[in-house]
Amino acid sequence: MAAPQDGVYMIIRLVMLAELVAMIAALAMPESLQIRILASFVLATAALVVAIVPSSDSLGLAKLLRPGLGVVLAVPALWMASQAVPMPMGTLGNAIWATASAALNEPLAEIITVDTGATMFSFAQYCAVLAAALVTAVVTLDRYRAAQVLHILLLIATIATAMWFGKEIAGVAGPDGSTVAVLGLLLSCATAIRAVDQLRRHSRPGKTGPVPIPALSAAIIAMIVCVAELLIRADSTAVVAALLGSGILLSVFAIRRWFLGLWGTAGVFATAAIFFVGSMTVIPFRTNTDLTVALSTNSQIATERMLQDVRPAGSGAGASTVLLPVYRDIGSGALRERPTAAAAIVVDMGWAFLCGLVAVAMLGACILIRRSLSRAYDYVYPALGAGASITLTVLAFADHEILDLGASLLIAAVFGLAFGQSVPGAGRDAISPGSKETSDWMGGPAPASRPRFASALVTAWPRVALMVLGITLLVQAIWMALPAWYLGGHSSLSTDVLTAAWPNAISKPASVAAAREDLWIRGESRSSWDPALSADEQKTALPVASNAFARALRSSPFRGDIWLMLAAASNHDLTQSGTAAMLKMSYYTAPNDLDLLPLRLSVAFATDAVVWELEFRDLIKRDVSFIVTHRPALRPALVAAYRLASADGKVYLENLISELDPSYLDSMRARNSRQGSR
């Protein structure tokens, strides 16, 4: 049995390496479509390998992944899937679909989510996180592999924190690394406690084993790096969260070493509770604001506006990123404000989901603490999971980082490690060299105390669930990679055709899902908007581009830039109508996007019906007033709009500018005359 056993051990090492590659790539590189595809493909492969390859870990996985836990893990996925299911009119469906249906003049089913692409990407990320957690749990059923994973996670968190620490010192702007630094501090604390326990056992007479001095030294170095990162950021909430998580670990360590018994345990936890209440006074709570942003030190003005319009079932997973530009003030950068993780969950999934998530986190922390206190050895792993549950719950109300891909994968690995080592006898030392239990299980018959069919069913269903998860992730990776592969086959076409055809038309993507829609649109448009085409050919190509824009809006009706492009295409194509309705949707879905102002004003002033409609007059006046009074650099856009405007549009624009800045009216007319004479 040595050869098959060695083969299984080698496969598990490859699975560990694959998961490590996905985690490092997600943490080291900016979040992008390519990184998501890589993470999904790697984790799908790892899940399928663990599900297909037979090993004694199946018994441990069946003991760990019980049906109740499986239902809890499946609820978020089912919730996300239900958000993309058509709803009856006037129920939970979002009203944006009825408005978009009227603007496009075609029937659209009402669904909960406001962006099906963003919801699908969030669903894919959740599947990747779930796969990372389950694969890590299976790998760490063995205590020796658990120690290796703990050291690897500590190394990853320390390197990532050191990179962000170096950027902070150099003054280079980058993503906040507070969550990873806090996790690194918890991992270093767990490693140090484990090393101290090993030193105690190693010092006993007759005890031999590896000396844990290198692990203890590495833990101290990692702790210094992570503490320095937290202190240099001066983020009191992250510091208190890190102290709370570390306090859980130290409390369990103290109970096991000095305060055994019921009263000793109660005393330690009473002290921890007093420390918890006292630490809450250090955190700067914001008053007169929503609870989900009360711990945030950054501006959350647009987020608070979003929270006022929260629907019972949410607006769809990933919708907070799509909706944020609608609620922010004109002229403010879209990247300056990020909703806290708690606020994003409320906007995306609803208040009930957040309350359930917090309850599950607290319940999970209690279960892990109880299991840690009941363990004879390796109690530090479930204690690490309990500390992480408390810490991440606090951080969720302070920043957004726990929802980022890299941080979420690291969190999943930490919880997988904690739960993998939380159940006594769940496949521990299963495939270690020389394990008699492994050989008996792999080669011998099933225990007589359990019916053969029931035993097979219990051990098979977790592997089936992992296989379904792996296949789902693989399909999602292909779904994300398909547009890039499709465009790769059209490399001879110009990549800047769309930008040349519609200057300043597309603003920065609101989400990764929006970027994918842009890929499809550009793929459709490259052959349609080639400048070398004749005028007749371009007129023929206009409906093709319009169809591409309309298809994107059927899945993402809050894309104000695409509504504007569709209005511009409709305005150029005399066979189409509805320019006013599409332009109105652009104003409603992207009212404060400065990148859209030049093209939007050109389309508005070129259409007489828009200029003289009372509702549009107020919207147009708002844009013109903002440019004249607050953004002088955008005044050339007024000249361009004036040059392309209809006769009535020119009169209306002249009247507006004469009210705001009469001296600029003559300058605008002169510039228009010079450009017209060229």
Side-chain angles (χ1 to χ4, degrees):
M1 298 303 298
Q5 185 175 335
D6 293 341
V8 172
Y9 196 68
M10 181 61 66
I11 290 174
I12 291 180
R13 285 181 175 233
L14 292 176
V15 169
M16 291 172 58
L17 179 61
E19 190 172 3
L20 175 65
V21 168
M23 199 175 304
I24 291 177
L27 283 170
M29 300 180 184
E31 193 168 320
S32 63
L33 184 64
Q34 291 75 17
I35 295 300
R36 287 175 175 268
I37 294 172
L38 174 64
S40 297
F41 180 78
V42 169
L43 292 171
T45 305
L48 289 174
V49 168
V50 171
I52 294 174
V53 175
S55 72
S56 57
D57 288 336
S58 300
L59 289 175
L61 179 62
K63 190 172 183 179
L64 179 66
L65 188 60
R66 296 178 180 177
L69 180 59
V71 171
V72 171
L73 296 177
V75 165
L78 295 176
W79 199 305
M80 294 180 194
S82 65
Q83 290 179 327
V85 175
M87 296 287 174
M89 299 292 290
T91 55
L92 295 177
N94 198 287
I96 186 63
W97 295 103
T99 308
S101 176
L104 293 173
N105 196 24
E106 61 178 271
L108 295 177
E110 283 194 10
I111 55 179
I112 295 175
T113 179
V114 299
D115 193 309
T116 55
T119 300
M120 290 300 298
F121 271 92
S122 298
F123 180 73
Q125 179 171 337
Y126 178 75
C127 290
V129 169
L130 187 58
L134 294 179
V135 169
T136 304
V138 174
V139 169
T140 57
L141 287 171
D142 175 69
R143 62 183 305 183
Y144 300 104
R145 295 197 302 264
Q148 294 174 358
V149 170
L150 176 64
H151 297 156
I152 289 173
L153 294 180
L154 176 62
L155 179 63
I156 292 174
T158 305
I159 292 177
T161 302
M163 291 173 56
W164 287 320
F165 183 66
K167 291 180 180 179
E168 191 77 18
I169 294 177
V172 179
D176 187 11
S178 298
T179 298
V180 177
V182 170
L183 288 175
L185 183 59
L186 295 181
L187 289 166
S188 62
C189 187
T191 304
I193 291 175
R194 184 176 180 276
V196 170
D197 283 343
Q198 286 183 321
L199 280 174
R200 290 177 56 206
R201 291 197 297 267
H202 189 269
S203 62
R204 296 175 184 174
K207 296 291 183 179
T208 60
V211 180
I213 297 297
L216 183 59
S217 302
I220 294 174
I221 294 173
M223 192 177 300
I224 294 173
V225 173
C226 296
V227 170
E229 164 70 10
L230 293 176
L231 292 179
I232 198 174
R233 290 186 179 274
D235 189 347
S236 58
T237 303
V239 172
V240 172
L243 291 177
L244 290 175
S246 302
I248 295 294
L249 281 164
L250 295 176
S251 298
V252 173
F253 175 74
I255 291 171
R256 295 186 58 86
R257 185 167 184 180
W258 298 299
F259 300 100
L260 294 176
L262 178 62
W263 290 108
T265 302
V268 172
F269 279 115
T271 305
I274 294 174
F275 173 76
F276 175 79
V277 174
S279 63
M280 290 296 102
T281 61
V282 181
I283 299 179
F285 283 95
R286 297 170 57 190
T287 58
N288 299 324
T289 187
D290 194 272
L291 177 63
T292 58
V293 297
L295 299 183
S296 176
T297 58
N298 301 320
S299 173
Q300 298 287 324
I301 297 176
T303 302
E304 293 181 43
R305 294 170 183 165
M306 281 197 301
L307 291 170
Q308 294 175 358
D309 296 332
V310 168
R311 302 173 63 84
S315 299
S320 57
T321 308
V322 179
L323 292 174
L324 184 63
V326 180
Y327 289 90
R328 64 185 174 89
D329 294 326
I330 187 169
S332 61
L335 298 180
R336 295 178 185 174
E337 177 178 340
R338 295 186 73 190
T340 64
I345 291 172
V346 169
V347 174
D348 295 351
M349 313 291 281
W351 272 104
F353 186 87
L354 177 65
C355 295
L357 194 61
V358 172
V360 169
M362 295 300 100
L363 179 61
C366 295
I367 292 174
L368 288 172
I369 290 175
R370 182 175 60 83
R371 291 181 179 180
S372 177
L373 295 176
S374 66
R375 292 292 310 278
Y377 299 101
D378 300 321
Y379 63 89
V380 71
Y381 300 109
L384 171 64
S389 295
I390 302 296
T391 297
L392 294 173
T393 301
V394 175
L395 289 178
F397 290 84
D399 59 36
H400 185 276
E401 193 183 354
I402 67 173
L403 298 181
D404 292 342
L405 179 62
S408 61
L409 290 178
L410 182 60
I411 292 169
V414 169
F415 281 112
L417 171 63
F419 277 96
Q421 280 286 307
S422 66
V423 181
R428 211 164 319 285
D429 303 324
I431 61 171
S432 301
S435 175
K436 182 178 183 301
E437 289 80 8
T438 300
S439 301
D440 292 341
W441 185 89
M442 296 181 70
S449 59
R450 175 175 292 180
R452 188 180 300 270
F453 176 77
S455 177
L457 181 63
V458 168
T459 58
W461 91 263
R463 296 177 63 182
V464 172
L466 264 178
M467 187 176 299
V468 172
L469 180 61
I471 294 174
T472 303
L473 261 177
L474 194 60
V475 171
Q476 290 169 342
I478 295 174
W479 173 77
M480 289 185 286
L482 190 59
W485 173 83
Y486 173 75
L487 294 182
H490 298 75
S491 57
S492 60
L493 299 173
S494 172
T495 59
D496 298 325
V497 170
L498 186 60
T499 304
W502 302 111
N504 299 318
I506 297 184
S507 62
K508 295 174 290 296
S511 62
V512 180
R516 183 182 185 276
E517 296 293 342
D518 287 341
L519 286 175
W520 279 116
I521 293 170
R522 291 174 187 174
E524 286 279 342
S525 304
R526 286 179 180 180
S527 60
S528 306
W529 293 91
D530 193 335
L533 295 177
S534 63
D536 293 338
E537 290 174 328
Q538 289 186 9
K539 288 182 179 180
T540 305
L542 273 167
V544 178
S546 298
N547 291 335
F549 301 149
R551 186 178 63 246
L553 292 171
R554 294 186 193 107
S555 63
S556 181
F558 266 97
R559 288 298 303 276
D561 50 354
I562 300 181
W563 279 114
L564 179 57
M565 295 167 68
L566 187 59
S570 177
N571 194 36
H572 281 80
D573 187 4
L574 298 179
T575 63
Q576 296 194 19
S577 59
T579 302
M582 297 166 190
L583 190 60
K584 185 184 298 183
M585 289 296 296
S586 175
Y587 271 109
Y588 290 161
T589 56
N592 303 316
D593 195 337
L594 293 182
D595 295 339
L596 302 184
L597 282 183
L599 181 60
R600 189 153 60 194
L601 288 175
S602 297
V603 175
F605 284 111
T607 309
D608 293 335
V610 171
V611 170
W612 294 111
E613 189 174 332
L614 182 60
E615 184 178 6
F616 276 109
R617 289 170 67 92
D618 295 336
L619 296 173
I620 294 171
K621 184 177 181 179
R622 172 178 173 269
D623 285 353
V624 174
S625 300
F626 179 79
I627 291 177
V628 173
T629 58
H630 296 91
R631 286 292 189 274
L634 293 178
R635 288 188 175 187
L638 294 177
V639 178
Y642 183 76
R643 180 167 51 89
L644 298 176
S646 63
D648 292 336
K650 284 185 171 66
V651 172
Y652 181 58
L653 182 56
E654 289 175 353
N655 293 335
L656 285 178
I657 295 180
S658 63
E659 295 176 4
L660 300 170
D661 188 358
S663 62
Y664 182 68
L665 181 59
D666 295 334
S667 175
M668 184 182 68
R669 288 171 175 171
R671 291 183 183 181
N672 179 63
S673 300
R674 288 197 300 268
Q675 292 180 3
S677 61
R678 291 178 184 176

